[in-house]
Amino acid sequence: KSGTTGGQKLEYILKKALRQEPLNKSEMEFILTRRDNEVRKQIFRAARRLRKRHFGRKIFAYGFVYFSTHCRNSCSFCFYRSSNQQSPRYRKDKSEVLKIARSLAEAGVHLIDLTMGEDPRYYEKNGFEELIELVSELKSETGLPIMISPGRVPDKELSKLFKAGADWYACYQETHSRELFKNLRTGQDYDRRLQVKKQAAETGFLIEEGMLLGTGETCADRARSILMMQKLEVDQGRAMSLVPQKGTPLAENSEPERNEELMTIAAIRLANPDIQIPASLDVEGIKGLIPRLKAGASVVTSLIPPASGLKGVSSAELDIEGGGRGLKAVRQKLAESGLDLELAELEDYKKWM
Ligand code: MD0
Ligand code: SF4
C-alpha cells in the first residue's frame, strides 16, 4: 500500500537508484528484505530500467569452458572440492579447449570464460606457462574477449596472463563476512583473495566479483557484499544460489528460495547500474533465464556446448546434453519472453568493454 511509510521509503530509494546515487547499507537492506510480490515487481522494474539505460535491448552471452575440475582446495559448497570422490575429474588439453572454444565462437558467444579449479598441475607442478599459452592462442584464433577464472593466481602470473590477451579476471569472494568466509572457503585467506582482485584491476583487467546465497548469510551480509562490489568498482557482479552438492559439507543445506537470487540481482543492479550482471544457467538451467533477465541481469553465462565433455560448476549436468545451455535455446526463450530483448553483436560487446 502506497501512503504507508514503507511505500514512501521504497519510492524514495528507487528514485534515488534511478538517479544513480549510491545507496547506503540500510537502503540496500530495505530492498533485500521486501517480501510482497507487488513490491518485488516494482523493484525488478526499476532494475530493468537501469539495465535499459546502459545496455538498451542488448543481452550478452558468455561461453563457459571449465577445462580442469582438479582443485587443491576444499570449499565447503563445491562439488569439485579436493576430497570429493564423487565429482567428475577431468583436464582438457589445449587442442580440445581450442576446438570447443571455436564452436562457441561460431555459435555467437561474446566471450570465452576459461575456468579451472586451483589445479595442482598449474599451482604446484608446471606453473602457468600452459595457461598463458592457451590464452594467447585462444585470443588469436577466435578474436573473442577472454575471461579467466583460474583461482587466486600469483601476482606475477596475473600480468603475464593479461599480456597474453586475457581481458577479465573473475574471482569470487562469495561473502564479505569473515566468519562465513572461513566456513565456505576453508583454509583460504580472505584478505589475499580480496587483494588479488585489486591487483588484477590495477593490472588492467576488468574484474568480476561474486556472492553465494543460501549459506547462512543474513540480508545485512548480502547488502555488504553488494556495497563491496560498488567499492571495488567491479565490472561484473554476480549472485548465485547455493545448489547443495553431494559429497560436500553443505549437501544437506536447503536451496534458497528462487526469489532470493532474483532480488539480489535486482539490488546489485540498483547499486551498480552499468555493470554486467549474470543470468547464470548454472543454477536452474534454461528455465532460470527469463526470471533473471526480468530482475535486471544483462549477460547469460554458463553456456556449455553438448558433447563437449564439459561440466557446469553448480549444476554439473543440467540441460547440457539437451542443448538447453546453447545459444539457440537462449534465442528462443528471448523471442518467446515478450521482453523486447535480443542477443547483442560482438561489436556491441566490445564497445561496452
Ligand atoms: C557460471 N558456472 O557462469 C559458471 C561459473 C566462473 N567464472 C563462472 C560460476 O555460472
Ligand atoms: Fe576449488 Fe573453486 Fe571449488 Fe573452491 S570453488 S573447491 S577453489 S574449484
Side-chain angles (χ1 to χ4, degrees), residues 64 113 115 147 149 170 172 208 238 240 280 282 301-302 313:
F64 184 58
D113 178 3
T115 296
M147 174 182 275
S149 313
Y172 313 147
E208 181 186 18
R238 72 166 64 215
M240 282 176 75
S280 175
D282 205 24
T301 69
S302 227
V313 171

Side-chain angles (χ1 to χ4, degrees), residues 307-334:
S308 61
L310 294 182
K311 303 290 178 203
V313 171
S314 306
S315 299
E317 315 276 349
L318 184 63
D319 280 350
I320 298 176
E321 292 315 318
R325 301 240 203 151
L327 271 183
K328 210 173 134 205
V330 169
R331 272 201 196 89
Q332 196 181 331
K333 284 282 172 206
L334 281 179

Side-chain angles (χ1 to χ4, degrees), residues 66 69-75 77-82 116-118 151 174 185 188 193 313:
Y66 191 10
T69 62
H70 291 266
C71 188
R72 61 178 184 176
N73 289 336
S74 279
C75 301
F77 55 87
C78 181
F79 192 36
Y80 304 91
R81 71 202 302 266
S82 59
M116 66 178 212
E118 292 195 359
E174 318 299 354
R185 293 201 160 271
Q188 298 165 52
R193 196 167 177 88
V313 171

Side-chain angles (χ1 to χ4, degrees), residues 65-243:
V65 182
Y66 191 10
F67 66 94
S68 171
T69 62
H70 291 266
C71 188
R72 61 178 184 176
N73 289 336
S74 279
C75 301
S76 60
F77 55 87
C78 181
F79 192 36
Y80 304 91
R81 71 202 302 266
S82 59
S83 58
N84 192 358
Q85 307 290 340
Q86 299 185 51
S87 73
R89 297 280 170 207
Y90 61 80
R91 186 184 286 127
K92 301 286 178 198
D93 65 23
K94 194 172 71 183
S95 68
E96 275 177 283
V97 173
L98 289 173
K99 192 170 138 220
I100 295 165
R102 275 194 296 267
S103 79
L104 282 161
E106 273 159 33
V109 302
H110 305 117
L111 172 148
I112 302 286
D113 178 3
L114 282 178
T115 296
M116 66 178 212
E118 292 195 359
D119 184 346
R121 179 189 181 98
Y122 299 90
Y123 278 81
E124 282 150 26
K125 278 170 67 195
N126 300 351
F128 290 83
E129 278 318 306
E130 258 175 71
L131 179 60
I132 293 164
E133 204 178 281
L134 174 60
V135 167
S136 86
E137 284 188 36
L138 185 60
K139 189 81 183 205
S140 60
E141 280 208 28
T142 64
L144 288 180
I146 298 172
M147 174 182 275
I148 51 169
S149 313
R152 209 208 71 226
V153 296
D155 287 358
K156 66 172 196 307
E157 309 294 347
L158 258 186
S159 59
K160 288 191 211 157
L161 286 157
F162 182 71
K163 285 193 194 111
D167 303 278
W168 284 87
Y169 177 69
C171 182
Y172 313 147
Q173 208 77 15
E174 318 299 354
T175 178
H176 290 273
S177 144
R178 285 171 187 269
E179 201 69 5
L180 261 181
F181 185 95
K182 256 191 251 153
N183 296 333
L184 294 178
R185 293 201 160 271
T186 332
Q188 298 165 52
D189 188 296
Y190 175 90
D191 295 290
R192 281 166 77 186
R193 196 167 177 88
L194 194 61
Q195 183 50 36
V196 73
K197 283 189 266 275
K198 296 182 182 165
Q199 183 63 39
E202 237 164 76
T203 307
F205 280 99
L206 297 165
I207 59 169
E208 181 186 18
E209 162 65 335
M211 57 197 278
L212 187 60
L213 308 178
T215 65
E217 80 286 0
T218 62
C219 279
D221 293 328
R222 290 179 188 170
R224 187 170 335 132
S225 290
I226 295 174
L227 293 180
M228 273 305 272
M229 290 177 180
Q230 221 175 55
K231 191 163 160 216
L232 291 167
E233 297 185 42
V234 303
D235 305 284
Q236 182 163 309
R238 72 166 64 215
M240 282 176 75
S241 306
L242 173 76
V243 179

Side-chain angles (χ1 to χ4, degrees), residues 19-48:
R19 287 196 306 273
Q20 299 193 199
E21 285 168 28
L23 304 181
N24 62 37
K25 186 149 175 275
S26 85
E27 291 166 338
M28 212 72 265
E29 266 187 76
F30 183 84
I31 294 289
L32 289 167
T33 46
R34 293 310 90 194
R35 292 278 171 275
D36 182 88
N37 269 331
E38 281 311 309
V39 170
R40 284 177 164 180
K41 276 190 195 154
Q42 216 178 319
I43 293 169
F44 295 152
R45 227 178 290 130
R48 290 200 298 274

